[in-house]
Amino acid sequence: MITTAQREGNAMLAIAAREITKGIKNPVLMIVSIVFPIIFIGIMGGSLSQNMAGGLGFNYLQFMMIGMIVNSIFTGLITGMSSLIEERNQNMTQELYVSPISRYSIIIGKMIGSSFTSLVGLIGIVLVALIMQIPLGGMHIVYLFLITPLFCLVGGSLGIFFIGFVQDSKTADIGSMLLVMPQMFLSGAMTPIQHSTGLLGFLAHIMPMTYCIDLARSVFYSGTDMYSKIVLYNPLTDLAVMAGFFLVFTIVGTLMFTRSERNR
Amino acid sequence: MEPMIRVENLRKQYKQGARPAVDGVSFEVGKGEFFAFLGPNGAGKTTTISILTTTLSKTDGEVMIAGYDVEKEASKVRRNVGIIFQNPSLDLDLTAEENIRLHVSIYGVYAYRPFYSMMPAAYKQRIEELSQVVGIHENLFKKVKGFSGGMRRKLEIMRSLMHNPQILFLDEPTQGLDASARQSLWTYLQKIRKEENMTIFLTTHYLEEAEEADRVCMITQGKVAILGTPDEIKHKLLGDKTMLLRGEDEAALKEELDAMRATYTEENGSLKVVYSDKTPQHLLSQLHTPLTRLDIHQPTLEEAYLRLVEQSERGVSL
């Protein structure tokens, strides 16, 4: 006899596998995972590195690569979660909503599946880094990859929070871009933010991705001379803030999403 | 015996709506019954079916499905119903089998496995049987994107039966299907209904599909306008069933009809005779006068429905 917990776990696994299967079958995902790093790290990063990064005192492309790893995960998770809105509008997920499983299982399953496809997307960044001869930092990059599930959780929870307040797919499309783009520019993914002040400084410090990127860099640069020049906060502070964001976003987002789905 | 569906004073007021979409609807559906729920666009059919299938909250009233409350025991309700939506809800990027595997996994019928070959033998056997019955066996491992509308519907029906539901909700299931696909679908649905004693709750715009229903409920403007068997509804909305007869010997024909105590009136040189059986065969078999005209008018549910809509638009209550 199957227990409720087993049934929910089974459903989560099936929903996650659906995302992964769709991702594997979709060549666009593979193309995007290569094209985006070429545009951002190769073209934009290369140009900034050659023209403006001379006096930084650290390898700019390496710095940016870490930021883009976290950014890529966030983008994948937010767009993955917001696709629930589009799928709901196109009736593709009606099947899930009338099944005897918890809404939490649907959301967590979706988050696991989107995490997998986001992490696969990191292959493109590594390939571009290898081609551009950006130092991967030996074991440091391995440690960084080991903590990527934490970034998936925070990015996914931000996606859940977002879909809790959005009803239609057009708003979801535009909104997810508005959620991703400012974080990419303000959270330190592409440029250092140590000297950000005023409104930009304030915005930088209320963005969840800021703390994820900072934790990623603290792991990647730990034990090196660059650590003090690059890392903003103590890793424990980053972790605490990330945990706070995760809990608030997940609880509020799931409640709002479940309510908006049935209370029309 | 507890009905499979019990709806009492159901009311739904949308946040943006000027008036309730469903306003005090009540009905019951028994086990194994084929129940048709009809009404014009905007009458409240889809709202009602959405509440019954737990995808929408009600504003007021009580709804019990298979003995469970739709609000408090939504999960148990979902386990006991199969749903075929108005718009296909298949994942077009997956194969037919992958869609079904997802379904049985989220319903907890079988543990999820990443490949078909790893699924249990019972699953493979069930999928084999059902795909043969609905006629999509050859396409089980093809992407749904390439399926015709009829094949997608068949796949949805097959999927909805995988967890052995007690009640099957069909929300305009044949929308967009050609006549032959519609017919084969109904042949199959009637077959499984009889075999499994399954309750069927149907909404449709093809009223000939509702002719076979045990009972029909018609709603207009969110309220139940009429509820009964198709014959009762036709009788109530369209009056008596009649046929036009003309005999070689009119006097002899009238004599025979009088002897049978049949009700008739004269109309343009013919006799308009009322009959009450399902067909006029019994009455006709007793006539000996040779007939020169026989026009039987078999009222349809569609005519009854159109009469209801017309009356509703004129504000006439039944």
Side-chain angles (χ1 to χ4, degrees), chain A residues 10 18 25 91 95 103, chain B residues 89 91 98 103 110 112:
Chain A
N10 194 43
R18 167 183 176 260
K25 287 182 179 181
N91 303 304
E95 156 79 352
R103 298 307 187 249
Chain B
S89 65
D91 199 322
E98 283 167 344
H103 177 90
Y110 300 103
Y112 179 81

Side-chain angles (χ1 to χ4, degrees), chain A residues 7 10-11 14 17-18 21-22 25 91-92 94-101 103 261-264, chain B residues 12 15 54-57 75 78-79 83 85 87 89 91 93 98 103 105-107 110-112 159:
Chain A
R7 182 181 293 116
N10 194 43
R18 167 183 176 260
T21 308
K22 279 161 71 90
K25 287 182 179 181
N91 303 304
M92 282 165 69
Q94 268 182 315
E95 156 79 352
L96 299 180
Y97 296 125
V98 295
S99 62
I101 54 167
R103 298 307 187 249
E261 180 212 330
R262 294 193 74 217
N263 295 340
R264 281 175 268 156
Chain B
K12 175 65 187 180
K15 285 175 186 166
T54 76
T55 55
L56 185 67
S57 288
S75 183
R78 290 178 190 143
R79 211 163 293 149
I83 306 159
F85 300 100
N87 299 309
S89 65
D91 199 322
D93 295 324
E98 283 167 344
H103 177 90
S105 303
I106 60 178
Y107 275 80
Y110 300 103
Y112 179 81
R159 183 180 67 177

Side-chain angles (χ1 to χ4, degrees), chain A residues 100, chain B residues 54 65-66 68-69 72-81:
Chain B
T54 76
I65 305 288
Y68 301 109
D69 187 298
K72 296 174 194 151
E73 298 164 297
S75 183
K76 286 176 180 166
V77 169
R78 290 178 190 143
R79 211 163 293 149
N80 282 287
V81 303

Side-chain angles (χ1 to χ4, degrees), chain B residues 245-246 250 266-271 293:
Chain B
L245 301 180
R246 196 181 294 154
E250 195 181 327
E266 290 190 41
E267 195 176 285
N268 301 327
S270 297
L271 300 177
R293 180 183 183 189

Side-chain angles (χ1 to χ4, degrees), chain B residues 196-242:
Chain B
E196 318 249 334
N197 196 24
M198 192 182 285
T199 304
I200 291 186
F201 186 99
L202 166 78
T203 74
T204 182
H205 279 300
Y206 296 106
L207 289 150
E208 67 271 21
E209 292 177 352
E211 291 278 2
E212 295 298 314
D214 296 315
R215 282 189 309 141
V216 172
C217 176
M218 291 187 181
I219 62 164
T220 54
Q221 297 173 357
K223 293 173 192 287
V224 173
I226 191 165
L227 175 65
T229 66
D231 272 349
E232 284 167 357
I233 286 178
K234 285 183 232 175
H235 182 74
K236 192 161 185 185
L237 288 166
L238 302 171
D240 294 324
K241 291 183 273 189
T242 60

Side-chain angles (χ1 to χ4, degrees), chain B residues 299-310:
Chain B
T300 63
L301 210 50
E302 185 155 349
E303 287 170 306
Y305 173 82
L306 291 172
R307 179 69 56 86
L308 176 80
V309 172
E310 181 199 321

